[in-house]
Amino acid sequence: NAASLQTQIWVSWDFFVFMSIIIGRVRYSLVVGVMLLFSNILFAQSSQSPYSALGIGEIIQPYLVTNVGMGGISVGYPNTRHFNLMNPALLGVKESFTTFEAGYTGETRTITQNDLTQRNGSGNLMYLGIAFPIKRGRWMSGFGLVPYSYANYNIITTGNVNGAEDEEAVYNFKGDGGLNNLFWSHGVRVLKNLSIGVKISYLFGNFDNQTVIELDQDYSYNSALVESIRVRDFNIGFGAAYRVNTGEASGLYFGGIYELKANLNTTVFELLDRQQKGSGITLSSDTIIDNLKTTITLPQKYGLGVSFVKGIKWIISADFVVQEWTGYKNYSGESPLLSDSYRASLGFELTPDANSVTSYMSRMVYRTGVYYERTPYVVNNDQIYDFGINFGVSLPVGQASLVNLALNYGQRDGSLTTAISESYIRFSLGLTVNDIWFYRRKID
């Protein structure tokens, strides 16, 4: 198993004890502990995908498990009990709870091309986040850690050797790594129905790539180009949200996000190795690039979302998010063949009776959604698309906290029969803990 592109954050039982104390609720301790224990064991794995060899790997959207259950709805989704990781302005519509969010996902993936099939699986911590009020009913802030992208691939192909057309070689492309996003968000309600927000992100991570060339000769050695890329830099994004009242207990919410283009500071190190054939043992090594200081250009990202909210009964929501990957540049200043991506999502949420005292199932929250995405990946002039259907549910715990579940089935393919097809099933588990902090009680 290749290491995840997400940074390995080993969460110990000491952290679990700390979270149990600051949450101040003994009944949440078991749930928090189970989640952190599983994240401690399984955080370091990610599924293999040949498409993750392109650009900065497979892009991961900052969704909560609740967003996943609705097909990835987030930009205009005004759920007051959750920390919105994508649109910072929606912090301004939250209730005055301090909210702790944690999520875990596991998946199984099947990759096919012609008559070849490969299956693999993975498990990762999706996110950690905490949001809290600075000025109740007016200003919320929050911190979070989410993956931005990951790469995990192992591709083998054959081809002729340059300058020797009668010689054939086996090319093995391997890589793993990725980017993480540590961010600080603020959401402020500037008018009764208008909120704005800002998100400051610190993007960091490493990519380790290797190309091994093996000649079809018994006496030959293998040549390997070993590449290590280290990325560290800041980026900034903005958000807005506006509510139009349509009735006594209903409203129409509009949301928007915009993330700036970023030139990320990057350090590159490259070696040319001579390896023993069969064992892979390095016999000699020459440095080609020694800590080159350069940049990687991430393109701008923007999106719109709209939701119709009927009290605490139901929500229907739609999102459209675009990222202009034609503006991406790698550390060499080159623009690989990537296309502008977009993702359209539609989701629905229903709570039969949030105030029921006789039926627990009536207080549960049910979700479903679909999405359609044009990915940035173009292979042999074949545009790759992604489609999926999602289901989710939230289980109330105590007065305001939730255990969230989501199931996602997706299919990734091109329009031509030569494309590599991927199908995947993901199961996600999330925890939302809401409590009141920093509250000064008054005695009349």
Side-chain angles (χ1 to χ4, degrees), residues 119-431:
R119 292 182 177 86
N120 60 81
S122 68
N124 296 303
L125 191 66
M126 291 174 65
Y127 53 83
L128 288 173
I130 186 169
F132 50 89
I134 295 179
K135 183 174 178 58
R136 294 186 181 279
R138 180 69 65 178
W139 180 8
M140 293 283 293
S141 183
F143 298 90
L145 176 64
V146 295
Y148 189 91
S149 73
Y150 84 86
N152 186 1
Y153 60 91
N154 189 350
I155 303 170
I156 299 176
T157 186
T158 59
N160 292 328
V161 178
N162 291 336
E165 299 302 324
D166 58 337
E167 292 284 349
E168 192 173 73
V170 176
Y171 296 84
N172 187 191
F173 304 93
K174 297 182 286 186
D176 62 77
L179 292 181
N180 305 278
N181 183 0
L182 178 65
F183 66 88
W184 182 21
S185 291
H186 290 272
V188 180
R189 183 178 298 179
V190 293
L191 298 173
K192 182 180 179 181
N193 292 332
L194 175 65
S195 297
I196 60 174
V198 62
K199 180 167 70 174
I200 302 170
S201 298
Y202 179 64
L203 299 173
F204 64 99
N206 302 299
F207 296 90
D208 295 309
N209 306 315
Q210 187 177 70
T211 302
V212 180
I213 304 174
E214 180 178 333
L215 295 176
D216 189 18
Q217 299 175 8
D218 293 336
Y219 57 84
S220 65
Y221 296 95
N222 294 342
S223 297
L225 180 65
V226 181
E227 181 181 67
S228 178
I229 303 171
R230 182 176 180 266
V231 181
R232 303 285 190 276
D233 217 327
F234 289 91
N235 194 18
I236 190 167
F238 304 94
Y242 185 77
R243 174 187 171 106
V244 177
N245 295 321
T246 59
E248 183 178 347
S250 64
L252 196 61
Y253 281 84
F254 297 92
I257 60 166
Y258 179 73
E259 292 183 8
L260 300 177
K261 181 174 75 172
N263 293 314
L264 306 180
N265 288 323
T266 304
T267 303
V268 181
F269 187 83
E270 280 189 2
L271 293 174
L272 183 61
D273 288 348
R274 187 186 189 198
Q275 297 180 351
Q276 188 176 52
K277 190 171 182 178
S279 68
I281 297 174
T282 299
L283 302 176
S284 62
S285 183
D286 293 318
T287 300
I288 300 176
I289 299 177
D290 187 8
N291 292 325
L292 171 67
K293 304 298 181 182
T294 180
T295 60
I296 288 176
T297 300
L298 288 186
Q300 63 181 351
K301 174 180 176 180
Y302 47 89
L304 295 173
V306 60
S307 297
F308 181 76
V309 180
K310 184 64 175 178
I312 56 175
K313 187 78 172 180
W314 56 269
I315 301 174
I316 185 169
S317 188
D319 275 6
F320 190 79
V321 178
V322 177
Q323 193 158 13
E324 298 180 349
W325 285 102
T326 51
Y328 168 78
K329 291 184 179 180
N330 61 23
Y331 68 83
S332 298
E334 300 171 344
S335 299
L337 184 57
L338 298 175
S339 68
D340 294 341
S341 67
Y342 63 79
R343 180 183 174 111
S345 306
L346 178 67
F348 179 73
E349 175 182 287
L350 172 67
T351 309
D353 186 357
N355 298 316
S356 176
V357 295
T358 59
S359 173
Y360 181 80
M361 294 187 67
S362 295
R363 290 186 283 118
M364 292 169 56
V365 185
Y366 303 90
R367 301 181 180 91
T368 188
V370 294
Y371 61 88
Y372 182 79
E373 179 179 3
R374 186 175 85 166
T375 74
Y377 313 126
V378 180
V379 181
N380 295 327
N381 295 319
D382 191 9
Q383 180 68 58
I384 307 302
Y385 294 90
D386 198 350
F387 170 80
I389 184 169
N390 303 58
F391 301 94
V393 65
S394 286
L395 311 176
V397 180
Q399 293 183 338
S401 298
L402 301 161
V403 173
N404 310 299
L405 307 173
L407 181 66
N408 166 218
Y409 171 77
Q411 179 79 35
R412 178 182 292 172
D413 209 340
S415 58
L416 305 177
T417 57
T418 56
I420 297 173
S421 176
E422 296 182 349
S423 62
Y424 51 87
I425 298 175
R426 295 190 184 115
F427 175 77
S428 303
L429 169 65
L431 175 67

Side-chain angles (χ1 to χ4, degrees), residues 52-115:
S52 69
L54 305 176
I56 59 167
E58 184 161 342
I59 308 303
I60 303 175
Q61 302 297 340
Y63 296 143
L64 298 177
V65 174
T66 50
N67 304 129
V68 172
M70 295 178 70
I73 294 300
S74 187
V75 177
Y77 177 57
N79 194 310
T80 61
R81 298 295 178 93
H82 294 283
F83 181 4
N84 193 299
L85 304 180
M86 183 172 282
N87 188 349
L90 288 172
L91 283 172
V93 305
K94 268 184 60 57
E95 296 178 3
S96 296
F97 287 113
T98 293
T99 301
F100 169 74
E101 301 272 13
Y104 167 85
T105 187
E107 77 167 32
T108 177
R109 185 179 298 236
T110 302
I111 305 172
T112 59
Q113 184 181 34
N114 300 325
D115 58 347

Side-chain angles (χ1 to χ4, degrees), residues 31-69:
V31 182
V32 178
V34 169
M35 287 202 60
L36 296 181
L37 176 62
F38 275 102
S39 68
N40 185 43
I41 296 172
L42 296 173
F43 188 63
Q45 300 181 19
S46 59
S47 292
Q48 280 196 6
S49 172
Y51 295 116
S52 69
L54 305 176
I56 59 167
E58 184 161 342
I59 308 303
I60 303 175
Q61 302 297 340
Y63 296 143
L64 298 177
V65 174
T66 50
N67 304 129
V68 172

